[in-house]
């Protein structure tokens, strides 16, 4: 995003540092040195990461299993992004703007007690306790691609249920056209709030029909366990066909409105981040192309970037929501 550096926090050797195969074969002594020396260790670490050594959750958090989802599009056969990458390379500006900040600092976040206020244009407004929300509907596993506007992507097995399960229960009025999602802004717990990089709280929004779409997920977990704090504990939104910034973490309020809500990134840089923010390889960010993406964990030396798919690959499911709309104008 605007204020971020694009370098990953992980380092791995660049192509120019790797010795060609022929040289390996010809110089065995040198190779032996490589295997025991610092350069060898770096190579070994890199090879390990490529081998997907750590795809699973380590079992430190409470289990939260979900039944395999039957929602069309909720499962992709693509290789999962390793748990370590999903939980250590994050955007959660309330804890800092560096990719490593959330994992380093969000441990302090208190996720109990936790409530979510539902208000605005609904017949049944109220305050929902997290324990109630956890039991509101059966948990499903949804394997979604997540595409960040910065140009990287992951494949994550989320656990949760369709947001429409909650929306139906609160009965939106005829005036409800949009839904705003407010996330926690607590200075005592979130050191990033001292920065003026965004207007706090972080607010995102959807049109009501987008929020009602079965793919829109209220997520409570990933990899069969409750959400790690850095990924938005105890509950967050996941809207798989939109850039990741639409998926607010650590939700505290859901407000139904008649007018399109003001959203944090749109207010910060309106020409760069639109309200819709549908993943679209044909509409570039003003400062970079959106045609391709770097899949986290696949960023090896010779790995080519992947082509970005229209609506992040969910066009069959959600394309109809935007029939007749100029997606260059409503970016
Ligand atoms: N939610 C809050 N509250 N604060 C944030 O900074 N960053 C967004 C989104 N939700 C963000 C947020 C962005 S830019 C992305 S790409 C995703 O969270 C990243 O989710 P992940 O860290 O679980 O991959």
């Amino acid at each position: 995003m605007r204020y971020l550096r694009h370098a990953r926090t992980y380092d791995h050797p660049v192509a120019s540092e790797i010795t060609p195969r022929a040289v390996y074969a010809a110089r065995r002594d040198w190779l032996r040195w490589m295997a025991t020396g610092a350069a060898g260790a770096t190579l070994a670490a890199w090879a390990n990461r490529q081998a997907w050594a750590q795809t699973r959750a380590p079992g430190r958090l409470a289990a939260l299993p979900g039944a395999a989802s039957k929602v069309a599009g909720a499962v992709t056969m693509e290789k999962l992004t390793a748990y370590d990458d999903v939980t250590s390379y994050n955007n959660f500006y309330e804890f800092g703007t560096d990719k490593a900040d959330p994992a380093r600092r969000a441990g302090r976040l208190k996720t109990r007690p936790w409530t979510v206020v539902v208000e605005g244009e609904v017949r049944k407004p109220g305050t929902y306790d997290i324990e109630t929300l956890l039991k509101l509907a059966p948990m499903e596993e949804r394997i979604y691609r997540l595409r960040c506007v910065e140009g990287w992507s992951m494949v994550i097995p989320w656990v949760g249920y369709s947001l429409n399960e909650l929306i139906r229960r609160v009965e939106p009025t005829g005036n409800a056209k949009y839904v705003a999602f407010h996330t926690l802004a607590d200075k005592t717990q979130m050191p990033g709030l001292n920065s003026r990089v965004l207007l706090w709280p972080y607010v995102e929004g959807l049109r009501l029909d987008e929020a009602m779409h079965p793919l829109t997920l209220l997520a409570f977990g990933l990899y069969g366990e409750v959400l790690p704090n850095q990924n938005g504990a105890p509950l967050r939104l996941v809207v798989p066909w939109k850039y990741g910034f639409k998926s607010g973490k650590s939700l505290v309020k859901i407000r139904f409105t008649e007018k399109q809500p003001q959203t944090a990134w749109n207010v910060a840089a309106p020409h760069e981040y639109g309200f819709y923010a549908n993943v679209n390889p044909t509409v570039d960010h003003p400062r970079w192309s959106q045609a391709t993406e770097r899949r986290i964990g696949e960023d090896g030396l010779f790995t080519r970037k992947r082509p970005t798919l229209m609506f992040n690959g969910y066009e069959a499911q959600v394309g109809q929501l935007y029939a007749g709309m100029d997606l260059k104008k409503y970016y």
Side-chain angles (χ1 to χ4, degrees), residues 90-94 148 183 202 231 236 244-245 247 249:
N90 300 104
N91 280 334
F92 200 164
Y93 277 19
E94 288 85 336
C148 183
T183 78
Y202 191 103
N231 293 88
R236 69 175 294 172
F245 70 87
S247 297
K249 294 176 168 184

Side-chain angles (χ1 to χ4, degrees), residues 1 4 85-96 99 102 146-150 152 154 156 158 182-184 190 198 200-204 222 227-228 230-232 236-238 243-251 265:
M1 304 195 118
L4 282 179
D85 284 339
V86 172
T87 58
S88 65
Y89 188 76
N90 300 104
N91 280 334
F92 200 164
Y93 277 19
E94 288 85 336
F95 292 100
K99 290 284 179 284
L146 180 136
R147 169 63 158 79
C148 183
V149 74
E150 295 162 352
W152 50 266
M154 300 194 191
I156 302 175
W158 301 104
H182 296 237
T183 78
L184 184 72
M190 299 171 136
L198 289 173
W200 313 108
Y202 191 103
V203 176
E204 257 312 329
L222 58 84
L227 286 172
Q230 60 268 35
N231 293 88
R236 69 175 294 172
L237 200 66
V238 183
Y243 291 117
F245 70 87
K246 297 298 290 181
S247 297
K249 294 176 168 184
S250 305
L251 299 176
W265 277 105

Side-chain angles (χ1 to χ4, degrees), residues 59-256:
R60 282 188 223 110
L61 300 175
L64 186 69
S69 181
K70 294 196 175 62
V71 173
V75 176
T76 157
M77 299 314 283
E78 287 170 27
K79 192 180 277 178
L80 301 181
T81 303
Y83 183 87
D84 277 2
D85 284 339
V86 172
T87 58
S88 65
Y89 188 76
N90 300 104
N91 280 334
F92 200 164
Y93 277 19
E94 288 85 336
F95 292 100
T97 55
D98 191 278
K99 290 284 179 284
D101 286 340
R104 223 158 9 101
R105 296 173 169 170
R108 292 184 226 151
L109 180 67
K110 225 172 131 243
T111 58
R112 291 294 188 284
W114 191 279
T115 55
V116 179
V117 173
V118 180
E119 62 177 31
E121 292 292 345
V122 283
R123 282 191 197 90
K124 293 184 176 165
T127 301
Y128 284 76
D129 190 78
I130 183 66
E131 311 303 340
T132 307
L133 290 169
L134 279 163
K135 283 184 255 142
L136 196 79
M139 289 290 168
E140 291 177 16
E141 182 171 88
R142 304 270 185 98
I143 304 176
Y144 286 155
R145 282 178 288 274
L146 180 136
R147 169 63 158 79
C148 183
V149 74
E150 295 162 352
W152 50 266
S153 63
M154 300 194 191
V155 179
I156 302 175
W158 301 104
V159 182
Y161 50 75
S162 294
L163 176 68
N164 65 30
E165 295 278 0
L166 174 62
I167 297 181
R168 280 194 265 116
R169 285 167 172 83
V170 301
E171 298 180 15
T173 70
N175 292 333
K177 302 276 184 305
Y178 295 91
V179 192
F181 303 90
H182 296 237
T183 78
L184 184 72
D186 179 356
K187 274 202 169 179
T188 66
Q189 303 193 73
M190 299 171 136
L193 296 181
N194 292 321
S195 146
R196 288 205 253 149
V197 61
L198 289 173
L199 265 188
W200 313 108
Y202 191 103
V203 176
E204 257 312 329
L206 297 172
R207 235 169 40 192
L208 183 61
D209 58 344
E210 297 176 321
M212 286 294 290
H213 193 282
L215 282 182
T216 300
L217 185 73
L218 199 53
F220 300 84
L222 58 84
Y223 266 108
E225 293 181 5
V226 297
L227 286 172
N229 292 350
Q230 60 268 35
N231 293 88
L235 81 166
R236 69 175 294 172
L237 200 66
V238 183
V239 192
W241 70 95
K242 292 176 180 280
Y243 291 117
F245 70 87
K246 297 298 290 181
S247 297
K249 294 176 168 184
S250 305
L251 299 176
V252 292
K253 193 197 283 184
I254 301 178
R255 183 174 172 77
F256 292 75

